[in-house]
Amino acid sequence: MMSTATENLKALDLDITEKDILKAEEIKALANKLFSDHKYNDAVEQYTLAISYNPKVPAYYTNRAICYLKTEFYGAAVRDADKAIELDKNYVKGYYRRAVGNMALGNFKEAVKDFRNVCKVAPNDRDARLKLIECEKEFKRIEFEKAIACDEHFDIVERIGNVDEIVLEQSYSGPHLPSEGGITLEFIKEMMECFKTQGKLHRKYVLKLLMEVKQQLEKLESLVDITIPSNGKITVCGDIHGQYYDLLNIFEKNGLPSETNMYLFNGDFVDRGSFSVECILTLLSFKLLYPNAMHLSRGNHEANDMNKVYGFEGEVVAKYNELTFKLFSEVFNAVPLGQVIGGKILVIHGGLFSRDDVSLDEVILKIFLLNLTKICVKLRKINRFRQPGHEGLMCELLWSDPQPELGRSPSKRGVGIQFGPDVTENFLKFNNLDLLIRSHEVKQDGYTADHNGKCITIFSAPNYCDSVGNKGAYIHITPDLKLKYNQFVAVSHPQNVKPMQYAGNM
């Protein structure tokens, strides 16, 4: 006897057989198991297969949507939620998943609408109610700031005032920044040990460090050229996402930064992990100490809208105050967008662009103009001293991802694009480059080599968010531009601090 659900389904689509329906349910059960095991990409494949057998079940789309949310493909999650709602206007999970996806993308107006729908249908859903309150608050804040916006520049340094006048409490027992001669390696080591035991650096020293490094970073171009000394190497690390104890493990395995043991951290220093303050202060301190040996590229999480949702703002406010966060934000605006190693390897956080006429510098521009009499866009000339926004060259550089297919596609993240091997090949050839190194994506082995080995992804946050189980990795690059991949596993951290601890209801 055919079930009522099956009969309804048959009425919708006569091409779907009962065998298809049963097969889809069998595959969904496997996908659910993969999701429970945190194998989100594998679960996506199985939900997609279930949908191919039976595309009329809203739950298949919302289940795949939560996998996309877990892997930060928010645009894809929103599209799946749209499909679920299209199939069933009363399907509350569709509205909930779409709201969470839009909230992650900073689309608070759309998220508020959907959370209101959820709360009407499920008034006792405490989680939805709390998220609605947070989204409403954030949407009102954004609208208020738009209303009072003016052309005057808000000088955060002037607002903070003379940091030297801040008094150290007698109870403070942490490290002291030298009053003369600038930052020292000894101070950084003491600070790292203090952080290791969950101690805090005094706000006075935090503000001094941030002001000094802000001035240093502001003098750099948006793309920084790096030359590796003949007796040294540079280590390229991907996302660390506030996983301080894994950062310490990198330094333990690979040595502290020095003039010959150079580092490049390729964005997403903060958010998700709840030791983001400790991570970024350590990296910025080494940047002050070794300006030519510690290099930083901005990631998509060095942005206010991401910090609001994924915990860094909450962490800074909890450990210091809101004014300190605003100074961090100004520092992030000054972090370069990428590096060029040895003139041949471009390192940026996300990926490539929705247009072909993107060059690195003026020399290429002149050749291009001479040959084709067409103006191209220069990466070195991007005005980076701002928030990245959700479109344009700077946004794409921070958000885009590679795809195996040729050409370009809309991003599953909802921001940036996806670019194929032909796009990578053409960009590298046009700019006389050999290789693109980027980060931005969790990889089970810590790295991948895509696009015929021309597009490398490196990710340095092992067991991401204490749940994914991935390895971390970093790359050694020698003066002759040879690459060596190094993998590592996660180390333990204090169990009283969980990922996203400071994100609150967001």
Side-chain angles (χ1 to χ4, degrees):
M1 181 93 178
M2 193 177 293
S3 67
T4 303
T6 303
E7 290 174 351
N8 292 339
L9 190 58
K10 287 287 187 180
L12 289 170
D13 192 336
L14 295 177
D15 292 331
I16 302 174
T17 66
E18 187 170 9
K19 184 178 179 181
D20 291 333
I21 295 166
L22 294 173
K23 183 65 175 177
E25 282 295 300
E26 179 185 326
I27 296 168
K28 183 200 76 171
L30 172 60
N32 289 349
K33 176 65 167 59
L34 290 168
F35 177 83
S36 298
D37 293 339
H38 308 297
K39 296 178 179 179
Y40 304 122
N41 291 325
D42 293 337
V44 164
E45 291 183 7
Q46 294 303 313
Y47 286 128
T48 302
L49 185 58
I51 289 168
S52 73
Y53 279 96
N54 185 354
K56 299 295 185 179
V57 180
Y60 295 172
Y61 296 94
T62 54
N63 285 5
R64 189 170 66 176
I66 196 170
C67 293
Y68 283 138
L69 291 172
K70 291 288 188 179
T71 52
E72 302 185 10
F73 289 150
Y74 308 121
V78 170
R79 289 193 288 271
D80 268 357
D82 285 339
K83 183 63 179 178
I85 294 167
E86 178 187 319
L87 290 169
D88 183 352
K89 299 293 183 187
N90 298 315
Y91 193 60
V92 68
K93 280 189 178 180
Y95 293 99
Y96 185 87
R97 298 281 188 262
R98 189 167 69 179
V100 173
N102 276 317
M103 183 176 69
L105 289 167
N107 299 328
F108 293 105
K109 184 177 181 180
E110 291 80 3
V112 164
K113 292 177 183 177
D114 282 337
F115 277 131
R116 284 176 178 168
N117 283 329
V118 174
C119 290
K120 283 180 183 177
V121 177
N124 296 323
D125 189 329
R126 182 173 180 272
D127 181 69
R129 176 64 60 184
L130 291 173
K131 282 186 169 61
L132 172 60
I133 292 169
E134 288 296 325
C135 282
E136 286 178 330
K137 184 169 66 176
E138 185 61 16
F139 177 63
K140 289 176 182 177
R141 183 190 68 79
I142 292 170
E143 292 301 301
F144 176 74
E145 288 183 355
K146 285 181 183 176
I148 65 171
C150 60
D151 294 332
E152 293 182 22
H153 176 65
F154 176 77
D155 192 329
I156 183 67
V157 175
E158 185 177 304
R159 175 75 178 274
I160 291 171
N162 187 355
V163 176
D164 290 326
E165 294 180 354
I166 297 176
V167 177
L168 292 172
E169 298 83 359
Q170 288 186 348
S171 59
Y172 177 67
S173 59
H176 292 268
L177 190 66
S179 57
E180 296 181 2
I183 196 167
T184 64
L185 181 59
E186 181 183 6
F187 166 78
I188 297 177
K189 288 180 176 179
E190 289 179 4
M191 180 182 70
M192 291 167 66
E193 282 299 312
C194 174
F195 291 160
K196 191 174 180 179
T197 58
Q198 299 188 65
K200 280 175 55 178
L201 185 65
H202 196 278
R203 185 173 68 93
K204 174 177 182 174
Y205 298 140
V206 172
L207 295 175
K208 283 180 72 71
L209 286 172
L210 293 179
M211 288 181 179
E212 289 181 24
V213 81
K214 177 174 178 287
Q215 289 182 337
Q216 184 193 91
L217 292 170
E218 286 173 344
K219 296 174 184 176
L220 301 175
E221 286 191 325
S222 290
L223 281 185
V224 174
D225 292 294
I226 298 175
T227 300
I228 306 171
S230 59
N231 61 338
K233 70 175 186 296
I234 188 166
T235 299
V236 179
C237 299
D239 308 36
I240 57 171
H241 274 299
Q243 296 184 196
Y244 180 68
Y245 295 85
D246 293 306
L247 174 62
L248 292 182
N249 188 38
I250 292 173
F251 289 150
E252 178 72 23
K253 289 179 173 295
N254 196 56
L256 291 176
S258 71
E259 298 294 349
T260 55
N261 193 33
M262 304 167 72
Y263 278 88
L264 195 174
F265 283 86
N266 194 30
D268 283 9
F269 323 119
V270 302
D271 277 342
R272 291 200 177 271
S274 297
F275 298 95
S276 293
V277 166
E278 290 78 6
C279 283
I280 188 60
L281 286 177
T282 299
L283 296 181
L284 292 176
S285 295
F286 275 118
K287 180 64 180 172
L288 279 174
L289 183 63
Y290 301 120
N292 297 316
M294 170 60 82
H295 299 278
L296 306 173
S297 294
R298 190 175 188 174
N300 64 301
H301 277 267
E302 280 69 62
N304 290 349
D305 53 357
M306 292 291 102
N307 298 159
K308 173 72 68 176
V309 174
Y310 292 100
F312 183 60
E313 180 179 353
E315 182 181 345
V316 176
V317 171
K319 293 178 179 178
Y320 296 102
N321 58 27
E322 188 173 344
L323 206 58
T324 305
F325 172 74
K326 290 185 182 298
L327 184 54
F328 269 115
S329 177
E330 291 279 333
V331 170
F332 290 159
N333 285 347
V335 173
L337 300 179
Q339 329 281 328
V340 182
I341 300 175
K344 289 295 183 179
I345 301 174
L346 175 65
V347 185
I348 52 178
H349 179 73
L352 299 180
F353 313 99
S354 56
R355 51 192 295 176
D356 292 319
D357 56 344
V358 178
S359 72
L360 298 190
D361 52 41
E362 191 71 32
V363 175
I364 293 173
L365 175 62
K366 289 177 180 176
I367 297 172
F368 191 60
L369 284 172
L370 182 64
N371 291 338
L372 298 178
T373 64
K374 180 181 177 183
I375 297 176
C376 60
V377 183
K378 303 186 293 295
L379 293 182
R380 294 191 195 277
K381 300 301 180 183
I382 292 178
N383 173 23
R384 71 181 188 276
F385 298 99
R386 57 186 175 87
Q387 292 300 299
H390 290 88
E391 60 183 7
L393 212 64
M394 180 173 168
C395 167
E396 290 170 356
L397 182 149
L398 298 176
W399 278 93
S400 293
D401 296 294
Q403 65 179 19
E405 300 82 12
L406 296 176
R408 297 176 172 92
S409 302
S411 173
K412 291 179 181 178
R413 297 178 187 268
V415 187
I417 65 158
Q418 294 180 185
F419 59 98
D422 55 329
V423 177
T424 298
E425 184 71 27
N426 292 337
F427 176 84
L428 294 176
K429 184 177 180 181
F430 178 61
N431 286 284
N432 195 27
L433 295 167
D434 292 339
L435 186 66
L436 171 68
I437 296 178
R438 41 90 63 182
S439 301
H440 194 40
E441 289 184 277
V442 183
K443 298 297 179 183
Q444 280 302 121
D445 293 326
Y447 72 95
T448 58
D450 301 304
H451 295 180
N452 301 312
K454 296 292 186 180
C455 178
I456 308 298
T457 298
I458 189 75
F459 193 84
S460 303
N463 195 26
Y464 185 43
C465 294
D466 289 0
S467 63
V468 178
N470 61 292
K471 294 179 181 177
Y474 50 83
I475 308 172
H476 286 157
I477 304 179
T478 52
D480 57 356
L481 303 186
K482 295 291 191 298
L483 275 62
K484 180 184 177 184
Y485 300 97
N486 302 267
Q487 297 171 300
F488 59 100
V489 297
V491 296
S492 61
H493 64 75
Q495 294 303 300
N496 63 319
V497 182
K498 302 298 181 183
M500 301 283 285
Q501 180 156 310
Y502 298 97
N505 296 323
M506 298 293 278

